[in-house]
Amino acid sequence: MNTLQQAQFWQKLGIATIPIRYKDKRPELKSWQEFQKRLPTNTELTKWFSGPFHNIGVVVGWQNLVVIDFDSDTEYARWQLWIARRPVYRWIRQTLQIKTARGAHVYVTTAQPAWNAKLPGIDIKAVGGYVLAPPSVHPSGVEYTVLAGNLPVRIEALSDVLPAELLAAHTQLPETKKVVSPVMLTLAAADDPWERANQLFEPDCDLIEHIKQRYRIEDFFTRLVPKNDRWTMTNCPFHDDKSPSMWVDTERQICGCFVGCTPQPYDVIDLYARLHNLSVQDAIKVMARLL
Ligand SMILES: [Zn+2]
Protein backbone atom coordinates (compact mmCIF):
# COMPACT_ATOMS: atom_id res chain seq x y z
CA MET A 1 0.00 0.00 0.00
CA ASN A 2 1.21 3.51 -0.75
CA THR A 3 0.94 6.32 1.81
CA LEU A 4 -2.50 7.51 0.65
CA GLN A 5 -3.90 3.96 0.79
CA GLN A 6 -2.49 3.57 4.31
CA ALA A 7 -4.14 6.83 5.36
CA GLN A 8 -7.48 5.62 3.94
CA PHE A 9 -7.04 2.28 5.75
CA TRP A 10 -6.69 4.09 9.09
CA GLN A 11 -9.55 6.45 8.24
CA LYS A 12 -11.88 3.42 7.73
CA LEU A 13 -10.96 2.24 11.25
CA GLY A 14 -11.95 5.68 12.62
CA ILE A 15 -8.35 6.65 13.34
CA ALA A 16 -6.82 9.96 12.22
CA THR A 17 -3.53 10.24 10.35
CA ILE A 18 -1.44 13.34 9.69
CA PRO A 19 1.24 14.14 7.10
CA ILE A 20 4.81 14.10 8.41
CA ARG A 21 7.85 15.46 6.58
CA TYR A 22 9.67 12.81 4.56
CA LYS A 23 12.59 11.14 6.42
CA ASP A 24 11.61 13.23 9.44
CA LYS A 25 9.40 12.98 12.52
CA ARG A 26 8.01 16.52 12.41
CA PRO A 27 4.47 17.20 11.14
CA GLU A 28 3.90 19.03 7.86
CA LEU A 29 0.95 20.79 9.50
CA LYS A 30 1.33 23.67 11.98
CA SER A 31 -1.76 22.68 13.97
CA TRP A 32 -1.86 18.90 13.73
CA GLN A 33 -3.45 18.76 17.22
CA GLU A 34 -6.93 19.41 15.81
CA PHE A 35 -6.77 15.85 14.45
CA GLN A 36 -6.88 14.56 18.00
CA LYS A 37 -10.48 15.84 17.97
CA ARG A 38 -11.65 15.42 14.37
CA LEU A 39 -10.94 12.94 11.61
CA PRO A 40 -9.46 14.39 8.42
CA THR A 41 -11.76 14.53 5.37
CA ASN A 42 -11.05 12.40 2.30
CA THR A 43 -10.14 15.60 0.45
CA GLU A 44 -7.53 16.42 3.09
CA LEU A 45 -6.06 12.92 2.92
CA THR A 46 -5.77 13.14 -0.87
CA LYS A 47 -4.17 16.58 -0.65
CA TRP A 48 -1.68 15.51 2.03
CA PHE A 49 -0.61 12.10 0.81
CA SER A 50 -0.69 12.22 -3.00
CA GLY A 51 2.88 12.10 -4.27
CA PRO A 52 5.68 9.87 -3.02
CA PHE A 53 7.62 11.91 -0.47
CA HIS A 54 5.55 11.98 2.74
CA ASN A 55 5.78 10.20 6.03
CA ILE A 56 2.53 9.29 7.81
CA GLY A 57 1.69 9.73 11.49
CA VAL A 58 -1.06 7.70 13.19
CA VAL A 59 -2.71 9.72 15.99
CA VAL A 60 -3.04 7.65 19.18
CA GLY A 61 -6.16 7.78 21.36
CA TRP A 62 -8.66 7.40 18.50
CA GLN A 63 -10.81 4.29 19.20
CA ASN A 64 -8.64 4.00 22.36
CA LEU A 65 -5.65 3.15 20.19
CA VAL A 66 -2.47 2.58 22.22
CA VAL A 67 0.96 2.01 20.68
CA ILE A 68 3.52 0.19 22.82
CA ASP A 69 6.92 1.49 21.71
CA PHE A 70 9.83 -0.87 22.44
CA ASP A 71 12.96 1.23 22.11
CA SER A 72 15.25 -1.67 21.14
CA ASP A 73 15.08 -5.10 19.52
CA THR A 74 16.22 -6.54 22.87
CA GLU A 75 13.22 -5.10 24.75
CA TYR A 76 10.85 -6.32 22.04
CA ALA A 77 12.38 -9.82 22.06
CA ARG A 78 12.05 -10.01 25.87
CA TRP A 79 8.40 -9.00 25.64
CA GLN A 80 7.75 -11.60 22.92
CA LEU A 81 9.12 -14.34 25.20
CA TRP A 82 7.03 -13.05 28.10
CA ILE A 83 3.75 -12.66 26.20
CA ALA A 84 4.07 -16.11 24.59
CA ARG A 85 3.48 -17.63 28.05
CA ARG A 86 0.29 -15.61 28.72
CA PRO A 87 -3.27 -16.70 27.79
CA VAL A 88 -3.80 -13.53 25.72
CA TYR A 89 -1.04 -14.64 23.32
CA ARG A 90 -3.58 -16.42 21.06
CA TRP A 91 -4.99 -13.01 20.11
CA ILE A 92 -2.08 -10.70 20.66
CA ARG A 93 0.22 -12.48 18.23
CA GLN A 94 -2.25 -11.34 15.52
CA THR A 95 -2.10 -7.68 16.49
CA LEU A 96 -0.36 -5.16 14.24
CA GLN A 97 3.39 -5.05 14.99
CA ILE A 98 5.76 -2.69 13.21
CA LYS A 99 9.55 -2.68 12.84
CA THR A 100 10.89 0.76 13.76
CA ALA A 101 14.40 2.18 13.40
CA ARG A 102 15.71 0.51 16.58
CA GLY A 103 12.87 -1.56 18.04
CA ALA A 104 9.18 -2.21 17.43
CA HIS A 105 5.67 -0.79 17.81
CA VAL A 106 2.83 -3.01 19.01
CA TYR A 107 -0.67 -1.61 18.30
CA VAL A 108 -3.68 -2.45 20.53
CA THR A 109 -7.00 -0.86 21.44
CA THR A 110 -8.30 -0.90 25.02
CA ALA A 111 -11.85 -1.06 26.42
CA GLN A 112 -11.39 2.26 28.28
CA PRO A 113 -9.14 5.19 27.32
CA ALA A 114 -5.59 4.67 28.64
CA TRP A 115 -2.86 7.01 29.95
CA ASN A 116 0.69 7.44 28.77
CA ALA A 117 3.37 5.60 30.72
CA LYS A 118 7.14 5.24 30.55
CA LEU A 119 8.30 1.79 31.61
CA PRO A 120 12.00 0.97 31.45
CA GLY A 121 12.77 0.64 27.72
CA ILE A 122 9.08 0.89 26.79
CA ASP A 123 7.06 4.00 25.98
CA ILE A 124 3.26 3.70 26.19
CA LYS A 125 1.69 6.16 23.74
CA ALA A 126 -2.01 6.43 24.54
CA VAL A 127 -2.91 10.11 24.41
CA GLY A 128 -1.64 13.40 23.03
CA GLY A 129 0.72 12.12 20.35
CA TYR A 130 1.29 10.20 17.13
CA VAL A 131 3.59 7.47 15.84
CA LEU A 132 5.22 7.07 12.44
CA ALA A 133 3.67 4.19 10.51
CA PRO A 134 4.48 2.29 7.30
CA PRO A 135 5.53 3.24 4.69
CA SER A 136 7.30 6.12 6.53
CA VAL A 137 11.08 6.39 6.39
CA HIS A 138 12.98 7.20 9.60
CA PRO A 139 15.59 10.02 9.48
CA SER A 140 18.23 7.25 9.58
CA GLY A 141 16.88 5.81 6.30
CA VAL A 142 15.19 2.76 7.88
CA GLU A 143 11.68 2.11 6.53
CA TYR A 144 8.84 1.24 8.93
CA THR A 145 7.60 -2.23 7.93
CA VAL A 146 5.00 -4.70 9.18
CA LEU A 147 6.41 -7.51 11.36
CA ALA A 148 3.09 -9.21 12.13
CA GLY A 149 -0.68 -8.72 12.06
CA ASN A 150 -2.77 -6.20 10.16
CA LEU A 151 -5.17 -4.65 12.71
CA PRO A 152 -4.85 -3.52 16.35
CA VAL A 153 -6.40 -6.25 18.55
CA ARG A 154 -8.81 -5.12 21.30
CA ILE A 155 -7.81 -5.96 24.89
CA GLU A 156 -9.47 -5.09 28.19
CA ALA A 157 -6.57 -3.09 29.62
CA LEU A 158 -2.83 -2.76 29.13
CA SER A 159 -2.14 -5.11 32.03
CA ASP A 160 -3.35 -7.90 29.69
CA VAL A 161 -0.14 -7.42 27.70
CA LEU A 162 2.35 -5.84 30.16
CA PRO A 163 3.21 -6.55 33.83
CA ALA A 164 0.59 -4.89 36.06
CA GLU A 165 3.08 -3.75 38.70
CA LEU A 166 5.28 -2.05 36.13
CA LEU A 167 2.26 -0.16 34.83
CA ALA A 168 1.11 0.79 38.33
CA ALA A 169 4.55 2.16 39.14
CA HIS A 170 5.11 4.14 35.93
CA THR A 171 1.74 5.55 34.80
CA GLN A 172 2.12 9.24 34.01
CA LEU A 173 -1.06 10.86 35.25
CA PRO A 174 -1.54 14.32 33.69
CA GLU A 175 -0.57 17.19 36.08
CA THR A 176 -3.98 18.79 35.78
CA LYS A 177 -5.85 15.71 36.94
CA LYS A 178 -5.13 16.43 40.62
CA VAL A 179 -5.47 12.80 41.51
CA VAL A 180 -3.15 11.15 43.95
CA SER A 181 -2.91 7.44 44.12
CA PRO A 182 -2.27 6.36 47.72
CA VAL A 183 -0.80 3.11 46.55
CA MET A 184 2.02 4.19 44.26
CA LEU A 185 4.61 1.47 44.15
CA THR A 186 8.31 1.50 44.57
CA LEU A 187 9.76 -1.65 43.13
CA ALA A 188 12.73 -3.19 44.83
CA ALA A 189 15.63 -3.52 42.43
CA ALA A 190 15.98 -7.25 43.10
CA ASP A 191 12.32 -7.87 42.27
CA ASP A 192 11.72 -8.67 38.60
CA PRO A 193 8.13 -7.63 37.80
CA TRP A 194 8.27 -9.52 34.48
CA GLU A 195 8.91 -12.75 36.36
CA ARG A 196 6.43 -12.02 39.10
CA ALA A 197 3.64 -11.34 36.61
CA ASN A 198 3.67 -15.05 35.77
CA GLN A 199 3.08 -16.08 39.37
CA LEU A 200 -0.67 -15.91 39.06
CA PHE A 201 -3.15 -16.37 41.85
CA GLU A 202 -6.92 -16.13 41.92
CA PRO A 203 -8.26 -13.45 44.26
CA ASP A 204 -11.18 -14.57 46.43
CA CYS A 205 -14.10 -12.57 47.85
CA ASP A 206 -12.46 -12.11 51.27
CA LEU A 207 -9.46 -10.52 49.64
CA ILE A 208 -11.64 -8.10 47.67
CA GLU A 209 -13.50 -7.08 50.84
CA HIS A 210 -10.19 -6.66 52.61
CA ILE A 211 -8.91 -4.34 49.87
CA LYS A 212 -12.10 -2.29 49.98
CA GLN A 213 -11.76 -1.83 53.73
CA ARG A 214 -8.10 -0.86 53.46
CA TYR A 215 -8.40 1.82 50.78
CA ARG A 216 -10.82 4.75 51.13
CA ILE A 217 -12.13 6.15 47.86
CA GLU A 218 -11.88 9.76 49.10
CA ASP A 219 -8.11 9.31 49.55
CA PHE A 220 -7.69 9.23 45.77
CA PHE A 221 -8.81 12.83 45.32
CA THR A 222 -7.06 15.96 46.56
CA ARG A 223 -9.83 18.50 46.02
CA LEU A 224 -13.14 17.33 47.40
CA VAL A 225 -16.07 19.76 47.69
CA PRO A 226 -18.48 18.44 50.36
CA LYS A 227 -22.21 18.56 49.55
CA ASN A 228 -23.44 16.83 52.69
CA ASP A 229 -22.33 14.12 55.12
CA ARG A 230 -22.19 11.50 52.46
CA TRP A 231 -21.71 13.18 49.08
CA THR A 232 -18.79 15.18 47.79
CA MET A 233 -17.88 16.45 44.34
CA THR A 234 -14.49 16.56 42.67
CA ASN A 235 -12.90 17.08 39.25
CA CYS A 236 -13.22 14.00 37.09
CA PRO A 237 -9.78 12.57 36.30
CA PHE A 238 -11.04 11.00 33.07
CA HIS A 239 -12.02 14.10 31.08
CA ASP A 240 -10.99 17.74 30.84
CA ASP A 241 -13.11 18.80 33.77
CA LYS A 242 -13.52 22.54 34.40
CA SER A 243 -16.28 22.23 37.00
CA PRO A 244 -16.41 19.26 39.34
CA SER A 245 -18.41 16.51 37.61
CA MET A 246 -17.37 13.51 39.66
CA TRP A 247 -19.53 12.55 42.60
CA VAL A 248 -18.00 10.59 45.45
CA ASP A 249 -20.28 8.70 47.82
CA THR A 250 -18.12 8.16 50.88
CA GLU A 251 -20.73 6.02 52.63
CA ARG A 252 -21.09 3.47 49.85
CA GLN A 253 -17.45 4.00 48.73
CA ILE A 254 -18.26 4.54 45.07
CA CYS A 255 -17.82 7.39 42.60
CA GLY A 256 -18.96 8.28 39.10
CA CYS A 257 -18.78 10.98 36.43
CA PHE A 258 -21.93 12.91 35.47
CA VAL A 259 -20.60 13.42 31.94
CA GLY A 260 -20.39 9.67 31.39
CA CYS A 261 -16.71 8.73 31.71
CA THR A 262 -17.61 5.90 34.06
CA PRO A 263 -19.90 3.34 32.39
CA GLN A 264 -21.08 2.32 35.87
CA PRO A 265 -20.22 3.61 39.37
CA TYR A 266 -16.62 2.81 40.27
CA ASP A 267 -15.51 1.29 43.55
CA VAL A 268 -11.96 1.76 44.79
CA ILE A 269 -10.68 -1.18 42.74
CA ASP A 270 -12.31 0.02 39.48
CA LEU A 271 -10.86 3.48 40.08
CA TYR A 272 -7.33 2.22 40.74
CA ALA A 273 -7.54 -0.04 37.67
CA ARG A 274 -8.64 2.79 35.36
CA LEU A 275 -5.97 5.17 36.72
CA HIS A 276 -3.18 2.70 36.00
CA ASN A 277 -4.26 0.99 32.75
CA LEU A 278 -4.99 -2.26 34.61
CA SER A 279 -7.75 -4.80 34.22
CA VAL A 280 -9.86 -5.17 37.38
CA GLN A 281 -8.36 -8.62 38.04
CA ASP A 282 -4.84 -7.24 37.79
CA ALA A 283 -5.70 -4.22 39.95
CA ILE A 284 -6.82 -6.62 42.72
CA LYS A 285 -3.51 -8.48 42.51
CA VAL A 286 -1.44 -5.30 42.71
CA MET A 287 -3.51 -3.79 45.54
CA ALA A 288 -3.44 -7.06 47.48
CA ARG A 289 0.36 -7.03 47.43
CA LEU A 290 0.32 -3.66 49.16
CA LEU A 291 -2.01 -4.63 52.01
ZN1 LIG B 1 -15.55 12.51 33.44
Side-chain angles (χ1 to χ4, degrees), residues 236 239 257 261:
C236 172
H239 77 272
C257 170
C261 299

Coordinates of all heavy atoms in Angstrom, one line a residue, residues 236 239 257 261, ligand 1:
C236 N -13.3 15.4 37.7 CA -13.2 14.0 37.1 C -11.8 13.8 36.5 O -11.4 14.6 35.7 CB -14.3 13.8 36.0 SG -14.1 12.3 35.1
H239 N -11.8 13.2 32.2 CA -12.0 14.1 31.1 C -11.5 15.5 31.5 O -11.2 15.7 32.7 CB -13.5 14.1 30.6 CG -14.4 14.9 31.5 ND1 -15.1 14.3 32.6 CD2 -14.8 16.2 31.5 CE1 -15.8 15.2 33.2 NE2 -15.7 16.3 32.5
C257 N -18.9 9.7 37.1 CA -18.8 11.0 36.4 C -20.1 11.3 35.8 O -20.7 10.4 35.1 CB -17.7 10.9 35.4 SG -17.7 12.3 34.3
C261 N -18.0 9.4 31.8 CA -16.7 8.7 31.7 C -16.7 7.3 32.3 O -16.0 6.5 31.9 CB -15.6 9.5 32.4 SG -15.4 11.1 31.7
Ligands
ZN1 ZN -15.5 12.5 33.4

